[in-house]
């Protein structure tokens, strides 16, 4: 109901539809391991920036948190030796039930290794983000609000075309 009130015109329905994939990833451990392995296979030794949109932001965060049998990595390991920046866009990580399913219970805070810079880009009209950033649950993170325009404020293409994302990829400040 809160989503329908905050985002009239079917916000709740849109949210449930988008969150179905998130729920599957978070409640099916074998699926999550396979997805992380698939993503990790595409992180090369020279990959310096990882960008995750929506569910991809959860998967990207999980790359830093989980030891998967196939990789031999321990939690907190960087997914690749050159990774220095994580950019999340349209992230549902601010939703308490998502963090609970991720088993993040230490004051509900999301953490990355100290040397990894984290930029979170959100649109206040994006129902998946709840219209808010992540700085309240992720110490050290930089939030950047953008306006993705009418239509689909959750659009990955619109997030990727935003100035904060371009600056972070280029190595500057958001």
């Amino acid at each position: 109901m809160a989503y329908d009130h905050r985002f009239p015109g079917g916000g709740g329905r849109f949210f449930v539809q988008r969150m179905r994939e998130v729920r599957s990833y978070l409640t099916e451990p074998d699926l999550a391991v396979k997805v992380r392995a698939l993503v990790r296979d595409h992180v090369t030794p020279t990959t310096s920036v990882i960008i995750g949109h929506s569910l991809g932001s959860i998967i990207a965060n999980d790359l830093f948190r989980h030891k998967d049998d196939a990789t031999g990595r321990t939690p907190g390991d960087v997914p690749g030796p050159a990774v220095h920046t994580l950019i999340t866009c349209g992230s549902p990580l601010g939703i308490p039930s998502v963090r609970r399913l991720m088993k993040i219970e230490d004051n509900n805070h999301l953490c990355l290794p100290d040397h990894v810079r984290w930029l979170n880009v959100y649109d206040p009209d994006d129902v998946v983000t709840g219209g808010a950033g992540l700085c309240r649950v992720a110490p050290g993170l930089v939030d950047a609000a953008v306006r993705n325009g009418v239509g689909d404020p959750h659009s990955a293409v619109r997030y990727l075309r935003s100035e904060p994302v371009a600056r972070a990829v280029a190595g500057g400040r958001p």
Side-chain angles (χ1 to χ4, degrees), residues 49-53 57 60 84-91 93 112 116-122 133-135 138-146 159 162-174:
V49 177
I50 295 176
I51 302 175
H53 172 261
S57 70
H84 59 72
T85 302
L86 171 64
I87 302 170
T88 52
C89 304
S91 178
L93 286 166
L112 293 180
V116 178
R117 181 175 71 152
W118 187 355
L119 170 67
N120 178 62
V121 183
Y122 71 97
L134 298 176
C135 65
L141 165 139
V142 174
D143 272 326
V146 297
Y159 274 117
S162 72
E163 186 176 337
V165 171
R167 285 180 188 234
V169 169
R173 295 191 163 248

Side-chain angles (χ1 to χ4, degrees), residues 13-32:
R13 184 177 63 247
F14 180 82
F15 179 76
V16 169
Q17 184 177 6
R18 298 286 178 151
M19 296 303 288
R20 197 172 318 167
E21 294 168 344
V22 170
R23 182 165 179 74
S24 294
Y25 174 82
L26 293 174
T27 60
E28 298 177 29
D30 292 341
L31 173 65

Side-chain angles (χ1 to χ4, degrees), residues 88-146:
T88 52
C89 304
S91 178
L93 286 166
I95 300 168
S97 58
V98 168
R99 290 192 310 283
R100 280 192 297 273
L101 286 171
M102 293 174 73
K103 297 177 179 47
I104 297 174
E105 297 178 17
D106 46 352
N107 295 326
N108 290 327
H109 287 162
L110 299 162
C111 298
L112 293 180
D114 291 337
H115 65 280
V116 178
R117 181 175 71 152
W118 187 355
L119 170 67
N120 178 62
V121 183
Y122 71 97
D123 184 318
D125 294 327
D126 185 348
V127 67
V128 173
T129 68
L134 298 176
C135 65
R136 69 191 182 287
V137 296
L141 165 139
V142 174
D143 272 326
V146 297

